[in-house]
Amino acid sequence: DGGITQSPKYLFRKEGQNVTLSCEQNLNHDAMYWYRQDPGQGLRLIYYSQIVNDFQKGDIAEGYSVSREKKESFPLTVTSAQKNPTAFYLCASSILRGGVGRGELFFGEGSRLTVL
Amino acid sequence: AQRVTQPEKLLSVFKGAPVELKCNYSYSGSPELFWYVQYSRQRLQLLLRHISRESIKGFTADLNKGETSFHLKKPFAQEEDSAMYYCALSDSNYQLIWGAGTKLIIKP
């Protein structure tokens, strides 16, 4: 069953703790993305990676970190430096080519992080 | 600046009525535009893209470069159309620029 798997679905964290969200894909996609989804604000890009061992900051990277050691995996760490971490986090992947495939992202089911 | 604007946060229409979700964009190059949909308890997914000129689930969207718009339309709304809809634009670096989304509610 191909797709993107995010875990955990729900996560609670105390203030001051780091937490890592997992994202795995078996679609053989080159690019992977992390978005934050807040009501009324749409999707905001945190980090993205187009190739293994390389990643770029998105619009709201502060307080987050990522790694891309394998093509299939793109974990996101929400650090204690993130001022407002309670949110819904979405991971996505895509192929990198022009034409019909461009711009089509495949999303995971999301991870809801709540900071207590 | 590159931007996608969805002016309506919430749109509520009766079943059987026409639906139009508005999307305007600002982009200096040749845009590629998309509509994504998120049904309740389902993952965000692509609904349609302008380059394919297709109709999906009765929805169509026409790119109007003169008005810089890509409105999503359906002539007769169905209850299962209730969802969150996002308009997005793909830039030359394969990055998507997202609108804030419109929540569509179809009343019975």
Side-chain angles (χ1 to χ4, degrees), chain B residues 29-62:
Chain B
S30 183
E32 286 204 39
L33 286 142
F34 305 83
W35 277 99
Y36 279 78
V37 62
Q38 191 172 28
Y39 300 104
S40 179
R41 302 184 193 282
Q42 293 188 31
R43 60 184 75 197
L44 189 59
Q45 59 187 291
L46 178 68
L47 178 63
L48 55 79
R49 68 193 99 205
H50 94 270
I51 199 169
S52 301
R53 302 182 69 82
E54 57 202 343
S55 172
I56 303 292
K57 300 187 178 183
F59 284 99
T60 58
D62 290 319

Side-chain angles (χ1 to χ4, degrees), chain B residues 58-107:
Chain B
F59 284 99
T60 58
D62 290 319
L63 177 60
N64 186 324
K65 290 187 179 179
E67 295 183 359
T68 59
S69 68
F70 188 57
H71 303 329
L72 183 67
K73 299 177 185 178
K74 185 168 182 177
F76 307 103
Q78 299 172 297
E79 287 188 67
E80 54 264 34
D81 295 329
S82 294
M84 194 75 184
Y85 291 81
Y86 292 95
C87 182
L89 178 153
S90 175
D91 68 16
S92 55
N93 293 320
Y94 302 96
Q95 299 309 310
L96 284 180
I97 301 161
W98 295 85
T102 298
K103 184 171 183 177
L104 177 64
I105 297 175
I106 307 301
K107 297 180 285 190

Side-chain angles (χ1 to χ4, degrees), chain A residues 2 8 10 16 23 40 46 52-53 56 61 64 70 75 77 81-83 99-101 106 109:
Chain A
Y10 300 95
C23 179
I46 304 172
V52 173
N53 291 323
Q56 309 296 327
Y64 300 98
K70 299 186 297 182
T77 297
Q82 167 50 231
K83 292 190 174 71
V100 175
F106 292 79
E109 291 183 311

Side-chain angles (χ1 to χ4, degrees), chain A residues 96-109:
Chain A
L96 283 180
R97 68 164 189 234
V100 175
R102 174 180 161 190
E104 181 171 5
L105 268 58
F106 292 79
F107 284 88
E109 291 183 311

